């Protein structure tokens, strides 16, 4: 590949390729610490290392594509969240972001609680020894069998999502002779995504019970009237990948108003509120996420202020970060295959995975960064689109990014910040074998979820 055939980017406005990309970083070899996990660095040979192990060795031992999870970073983030919120609040890790038995054990050891939203997640949590009272069970359509199991296991809370579920959980609890601790999920009319939030008209969704038209107040009335339920609070989750605290502010204010109305009507002050998850992380250098202590302070200030003005005792707060804990702790390692330069446009770089290991780009137009990690390079930057090997032109991993123009088949590239919603949303499209998750810590690498095999595929296909 000659450099002239791979321009650093568009040379004329009329060939400006579509897409969202900033100018290439001054040094493509530099690793922005915002998007890489904490122990990632380059060794003397220029290869990326994580937990002290170079990617070439990881690729050789575990193959590609694979997710490498920085265990000490994961644990540090758990502790940062727990410390930031302190003993007067509870941090629930949202298991859907990524869950495995090793993750459950780490959460348990680091003092976090766990959100699950399916029988499968509940099984994983219990099997790995998470105490049931530290588990919250979510979901807009929990089956009767799932509710039975959650109640039998004695989960700390079930988050009620509909009027039908209020009755269903009450009956099941009564049948088991228990009072199940529950929260009611309300939709506060706020939807937040990344830098924006919209404060009206978002009751139009499958989750929760609307505050606006008195539905939530009615749900509280019913829950308080049923013997099988111990209503401990109200829950609100407003979106995902949020940077702006304004949406949480509106949400917290509306939830506290509801608590005040409940006190006025029923004479009870519900002891807890849950403000959900959704805190954003850096996928590219353009993102500026907040630290857990800033988030904790902002949320507790809002709640304290609103409670003072409503003359309420400040409830115990819980939060449910998923992405913000696990997202930044892993990267996906790929081997470069076919490279297709399109003069004046961009260069398509195909990797040995794709939408089966990272559906977020295709699904949400998510932005990611990418780096050449098996070596450094002084070549000029070239505008690339990193694509997978699936039979879909939408099979894009990184839509627009810069890689060195001397990139060649066999190079290893890595996409950082893939710890959340990548392995957990992975598929077998094209009978792809879902990649392993390898935990790396202090010079040791250990598979925590193994790579799927062709035997796994055939085992499910019973002929
Ligand atoms: C998805 C979800 C979360 C976690 O969201 P993140 O964006 O991963 O922080 C928390 N709570 C509820 C109810 C959710 O549905």
């Amino acid at each position: 590949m000659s450099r002239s055939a791979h321009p650093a980017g568009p040379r004329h406005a009329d060939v400006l390729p579509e897409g969202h990309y900033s100018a290439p970083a001054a040094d493509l070899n530099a690793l922005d610490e915002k998007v890489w996990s904490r122990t990632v660095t380059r060794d003397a040979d220029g290869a990326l290392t994580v937990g002290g192990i170079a990617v070439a060795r990881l690729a050789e031992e575990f193959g590609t594509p694979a997710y490498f999870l920085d265990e000490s970073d994961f644990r540090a983030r758990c502790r940062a969240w727990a410390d930031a919120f302190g003993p007067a609040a509870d941090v629930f890790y949202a298991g859907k972001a990524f869950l495995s038995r090793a993750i459950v054990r780490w959460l348990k050891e680091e003092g976090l609680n766990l959100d699950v939203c399916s029988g499968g997640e509940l099984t994983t949590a219990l099997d790995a020894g998470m105490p049931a009272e530290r588990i919250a069970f979510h979901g807009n359509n929990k089956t009767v069998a799932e509710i039975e199991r959650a109640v039998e296991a004695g989960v700390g809370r079930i988050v009620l999502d509909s009027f039908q579920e209020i009755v269903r959980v009450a009956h099941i609890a009564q049948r088991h002779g228990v009072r199940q601790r529950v929260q009611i999920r309300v939709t506060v009319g706020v939807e937040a995504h990344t830098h924006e939030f919209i404060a009206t008209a978002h009751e139009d969704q499958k989750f929760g019970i609307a505050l606006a038209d008195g539905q939530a107040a009615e749900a509280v009335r019913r829950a308080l009237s049923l013997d099988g339920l111990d209503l401990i609070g109200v829950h609100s989750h407003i979106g995902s990948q949020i940077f702006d605290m304004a949406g949480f502010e509106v949400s917290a204010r509306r939830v506290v108003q509801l608590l005040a109305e409940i006190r006025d009507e029923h004479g009870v002050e519900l002891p807890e509120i849950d403000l959900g998850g959704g805190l954003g992380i850096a996928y590219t250098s353009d993102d500026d996420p907040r630290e857990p202590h800033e988030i904790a302070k902002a949320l507790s200030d809002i709640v304290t202020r609103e409670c003072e003005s409503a003359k309420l005792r400040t409830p115990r707060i819980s939060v449910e970060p998923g992405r913000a804990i696990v997202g930044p702790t892993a990267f996906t390692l790929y081997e470069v295959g076919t490279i297709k330069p399109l003069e004046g446009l961009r260069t398509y770089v195909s990797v040995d995975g794709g939408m089966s290991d990272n559906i977020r780009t295709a699904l949400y137009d998510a932005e990611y960064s990418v780096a050449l990690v098996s070596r450094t390079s002084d070549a000029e930057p070239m505008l690339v689109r990193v694509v997978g090997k699936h039979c879909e032109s939408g099979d894009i991993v990184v839509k627009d990014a810069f890689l060195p123009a001397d990139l060649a088949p066999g190079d290893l590239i890595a996409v950082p910040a893939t710890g959340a919603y990548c392995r957990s949303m992975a598929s077998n499209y094209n009978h792809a074998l879902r990649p392993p998750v390898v935990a790396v810590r202090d010079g040791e690498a250990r598979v925590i979820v193994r790579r799927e095999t062709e035997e796994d595929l055939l085992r499910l296909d019973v002929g």
Side-chain angles (χ1 to χ4, degrees):
M1 291 192 297
S2 78
R3 265 178 203 178
S4 60
H6 300 281
R11 277 177 265 180
H12 309 289
D14 58 340
V15 292
L16 188 75
E18 273 177 40
H20 174 90
Y21 53 92
S22 310
D27 176 6
L28 285 187
N29 301 314
L31 299 169
D32 184 347
E33 60 183 30
K34 270 200 299 193
V35 300
W36 293 93
S37 71
R38 285 178 203 177
T39 73
V40 163
T41 179
R42 283 196 192 265
D43 66 16
D45 300 329
L48 182 143
T49 71
V50 58
I53 309 181
V55 284
R57 212 188 102 198
L58 292 172
E60 195 176 275
E61 190 170 346
F62 303 102
T64 55
Y67 307 98
F68 293 96
L69 199 161
D70 192 335
E71 180 182 339
S72 57
D73 190 16
F74 183 93
R75 288 177 180 273
R77 285 174 197 274
C78 289
R79 285 195 294 274
W81 277 87
D83 292 348
F85 280 86
D90 299 299
V91 180
F92 285 76
Y93 169 78
K96 69 181 192 217
F98 173 62
L99 196 65
S100 75
R101 288 187 286 192
I103 291 280
V104 173
R105 284 191 288 271
W106 302 344
L107 293 168
K108 186 179 159 193
E109 287 164 14
E110 303 300 344
L112 265 62
N113 307 284
L114 176 59
D115 271 2
V116 299
C117 55
S118 70
E121 289 178 4
L122 179 62
T123 298
T124 305
L126 293 171
D127 186 84
M130 180 59 84
E133 62 272 16
R134 283 165 62 181
I135 298 175
F137 195 58
H138 279 272
N140 67 300
N141 188 24
K142 308 170 189 80
T143 66
V144 168
E146 285 172 329
I147 297 168
E148 298 262 1
R149 275 170 57 202
V151 169
E152 275 166 26
V155 299
R157 64 181 62 165
I158 294 178
V159 181
L160 302 172
D161 211 279
S162 68
F163 282 96
Q164 290 169 341
E165 201 173 77
I166 292 172
V167 178
R168 222 174 264 153
V169 173
H171 282 168
I172 291 169
Q174 250 183 331
R175 202 151 21 82
H176 285 80
V178 297
R179 278 188 88 209
Q180 176 61 48
R181 286 160 55 88
V182 295
Q183 290 186 335
I184 292 176
R185 176 161 177 178
V186 301
T187 46
V188 294
V190 169
E191 186 168 282
H193 290 291
T194 308
H195 299 287
E196 289 161 31
F197 82 99
I198 306 166
T200 51
H202 281 276
E203 280 85 17
D204 187 3
Q205 56 154 307
K206 70 171 184 170
F207 291 112
I209 299 175
L211 255 188
D213 50 5
Q215 298 279 303
E218 178 58 21
V220 168
R221 244 168 251 136
R222 294 198 198 171
L224 286 173
S225 75
L226 292 167
D227 291 338
L229 304 181
D230 175 11
L231 181 64
I232 59 166
V234 177
H235 178 284
S236 163
H237 173 72
I238 57 171
S240 60
Q241 185 60 3
I242 304 165
F243 293 102
D244 184 348
M245 296 304 286
F248 286 103
E249 178 141 5
V250 175
S251 164
R253 196 181 316 132
R254 293 185 179 171
V255 165
V256 171
Q257 272 164 17
L258 177 62
L259 290 193
E261 284 167 34
I262 295 167
R263 179 216 33 218
D264 295 345
E265 182 179 341
H266 304 280
V268 285
E269 291 195 23
L270 297 185
E272 299 197 21
I273 62 172
D274 189 314
L275 295 174
L279 288 316
I281 64 167
Y283 285 105
T284 75
S285 297
D286 294 338
D287 296 325
D288 276 308
R290 289 164 179 248
E291 293 295 323
H293 68 266
E294 296 175 85
I295 294 161
K297 179 163 190 325
L299 293 182
S300 79
D301 284 355
I302 297 164
V303 172
T304 306
R305 195 178 62 227
E306 294 299 321
C307 287
E308 270 168 16
S309 80
K311 300 199 165 44
L312 275 170
R313 259 197 316 273
T314 307
R316 189 173 179 87
I317 300 175
S318 46
V319 287
E320 307 174 307
R323 184 195 318 271
I325 291 178
V326 74
T329 67
F331 62 82
T332 313
L333 188 64
Y334 300 104
E335 185 178 308
V336 172
T338 304
I339 296 175
K340 174 180 169 178
L342 292 179
E343 177 77 32
L345 273 176
R346 71 186 99 242
T347 296
Y348 281 79
V349 174
S350 297
V351 294
D352 49 357
M355 65 193 294
S356 54
D357 58 72
N358 187 348
I359 190 67
R360 294 191 64 258
T361 306
L363 196 57
Y364 312 121
D365 229 356
E367 283 172 19
Y368 281 93
S369 6
V370 61
L372 169 61
V373 293
S374 45
R375 61 186 174 91
T376 52
S377 165
D378 295 327
E380 280 171 44
M382 68 173 169
L383 181 63
V384 301
R385 180 159 288 174
V386 179
V387 296
K389 62 192 272 80
H390 296 285
C391 303
E392 271 271 338
S393 44
D395 172 24
I396 297 169
V397 179
V398 186
K399 207 166 170 194
D400 300 290
F402 289 90
L403 284 171
D406 65 351
L407 192 76
D411 279 333
L412 297 175
I413 62 175
V415 174
T418 58
Y421 305 108
C422 286
R423 181 59 180 79
S424 69
M425 293 180 121
S427 78
N428 288 118
Y429 181 44
N430 289 138
H431 285 199
L433 304 171
R434 287 179 293 177
V437 181
V438 180
V440 187
R441 182 188 180 182
D442 300 334
E444 280 177 35
R446 168 171 80 92
V447 174
I448 59 173
V449 178
R450 73 159 166 81
R451 185 184 300 283
E452 261 174 340
T453 62
E454 291 183 348
E455 293 81 74
D456 290 327
L457 290 181
L458 294 178
R459 200 173 299 139
L460 297 179
D461 178 343
V462 294

